[in-house]
Amino acid sequence: MATATRVTTYTNYIDGEWRPSTSGQTFENRNPANTDDLIGIFQKSTRADVEAAISAAARAYERWRLVPAPKRAEILFRAAQLIVERKENLSRDMTREMGKVLSETRGDVQEALDMTFYMAGEGRRMFGQTVPSELPNKFAMSVRQPLGVSSIITPWNFPMAIPSWKIIPALVCGNTVVFKPASQTPLSALNFVKVLEDAGIPRGVVNMVTGDGDEVGTPLATDAQVRVVSFTGSTHVGRIVNQAAAPGFKKVHLEMGGKNVIIIMDDADLELAVDGCIWGGFGTTGQRCTAASRVVVHEHVYRSFLDQFVARAKSLVVGDGLEPDTQMGPSNSENQLQTVMEYVQIGRDEGARLATGGRRLEQGEFGRGYFHEPTIFADVHPHMRIAREEIFGPVVSVIPCKSLNEAIDIGNSVEYGLSASIYTQNINQAFAAMRDLYTGIFYVNAPTIGAEVHLPFGGTKNTGNGHREAGTAALDVFSEWKSIYIDFSGKLQRAQIDT
Ligand code: UN1
């Protein structure tokens, strides 16, 4: 683990060995709350490194697929126990490299832990189907089969949770893995791989290669030996991954952008709704694909809601996520912060009313990191770019509405469909919104964030491509069905023949 006094150079993990890249080149990983803090040096890998990792995974697959699923699961169970032991250090490393506050990085590690225990349990289930055959003395069933080498490409906002949602189900199903983490959070990725190594994952079953999207990501999407690609990131990059993988007919699972709405009706518990909007909008500095970046409020309670929401946003303590009082950390990078600042300008130019925030924080300690004020635009019109495009930062658009139907139309008016929520005391309104908001996740009287690992996670429209991760849906991504017919009649029985 990196310490403040000694900077470690970390390597790739290929075929059970920690190896430097053949490029001889590296990149730096710095703390977004304090860029003077150099966390570590990581490998800038090449296509050759990725190919070595894919070949190792392909070789290991021939052994790993034959290990009984409950035995694979025992290793995962040990991994989960190691995460329990290491949780505090893993969380601290994650806050240092990603920026979100310690209570949230503990939550991120907890999600990885939950997923690992959960999937360890699936090793003893992994249910298939048995159905009656249409012929006598014949048995029919289908079983899950692994697919082979799985490419796992993950973002920086959930540096351990998201890799775990992909890698752990891939492994329990019997696949092997080549993992490319985001270049902003390679230490958390490496910490996770180390857990798997220490738990006894056989060599070649999990491989990790760090580096650029183009150089490392492209072969992961195109190499003939890869059978599954699971990607979480922007819709723009997801489309590139999807197109690159298409000629090889790989199974592609994509989890992309969001522009999630919270609807607040005139009978809502406003205090609860304000709490939800603060957490949903500014938790993780707004850098969740589930973030509540739009709040649509009934005109009868609009003023009152807005006053309370703005007051609460103003009172949020921004700072280094390792400080116990901090409630909101920095943006993850200068680039990300620039995007936030561009959208603030776009919102102003479009005529939205800046109700609070809107500035980069640069005074004193803030000057060393990528900090921005929690920002609320009021009186936003649904056609404005700030109400339609994913910002991935601490910027929330508040939009007035006159009815539930109008709120649902606004909710559905964006290209994304990940998560949505309604605050109301009226069960009829709650159910109507649940049915009619076209998203993969829906909440009643809770914000748009906070999905649990044993339910399917994913979205509609340009958020995804029809698959879901987490829950047993994850098994569907990382396995395919084999249907088996066993004829014990001792004679030729011909199906689909009229007699
Ligand atoms: C993401 O932002 O990509 O539901 C994942 C949530 C978290 C996961 C978010 N459990 O907000």
Side-chain angles (χ1 to χ4, degrees), residues 139-335:
F139 196 89
M141 63 182 171
S142 17
V143 298
R144 290 185 185 276
Q145 297 261 284
L147 290 114
V149 179
S150 305
S151 292
I152 306 293
I153 307 171
T154 59
W156 46 262
N157 66 334
F158 275 80
M160 196 167 293
I162 292 178
S164 80
W165 296 359
K166 299 176 187 306
I167 293 172
I168 300 296
L171 294 178
V172 81
C173 288
N175 305 280
T176 55
V177 162
V178 182
F179 170 32
K180 180 215 166 311
S183 295
Q184 294 86 341
T185 52
L187 180 58
S188 295
L190 185 138
N191 285 343
F192 187 60
V193 169
K194 192 90 184 62
V195 162
L196 293 170
E197 181 191 34
D198 293 346
I201 287 283
R203 64 182 291 179
V205 171
V206 172
N207 305 272
M208 183 190 75
V209 183
T210 55
D212 291 344
D214 273 357
E215 185 76 15
V216 176
T218 304
L220 285 178
T222 55
D223 191 288
Q225 295 180 92
V226 169
R227 294 316 311 151
V228 194
V229 183
S230 181
F231 166 87
T232 296
S234 69
T235 297
H236 172 71
V237 176
R239 187 171 283 121
I240 294 170
V241 169
N242 203 21
Q243 286 172 346
F249 304 115
K250 299 180 200 319
K251 188 168 185 178
V252 180
H253 160 248
L254 301 169
E255 195 48 59
M256 303 173 286
K259 190 72 186 176
N260 312 290
V261 70
I262 291 180
I263 294 175
I264 299 174
M265 296 308 295
D266 51 358
D267 63 347
D269 175 337
L270 276 197
E271 216 177 296
L272 186 69
V274 169
D275 275 346
C277 292
I278 290 287
W279 174 227
F282 302 116
T284 325
T285 320
Q287 301 170 121
R288 293 195 189 210
C289 46
T290 50
S293 50
R294 296 183 294 159
V295 182
V296 177
V297 189
H298 195 282
E299 57 183 2
H300 292 160
V301 293
Y302 184 79
R303 219 16 69 206
S304 162
F305 166 79
L306 194 60
D307 288 349
Q308 295 178 53
F309 185 37
V310 167
R312 285 284 302 285
K314 277 191 204 294
S315 75
L316 284 174
V317 179
V318 180
D320 182 337
L322 287 172
E323 299 295 333
D325 293 339
T326 301
Q327 293 171 303
M328 193 182 95
S331 290
N332 178 256
S333 65
E334 180 65 32
N335 246 346

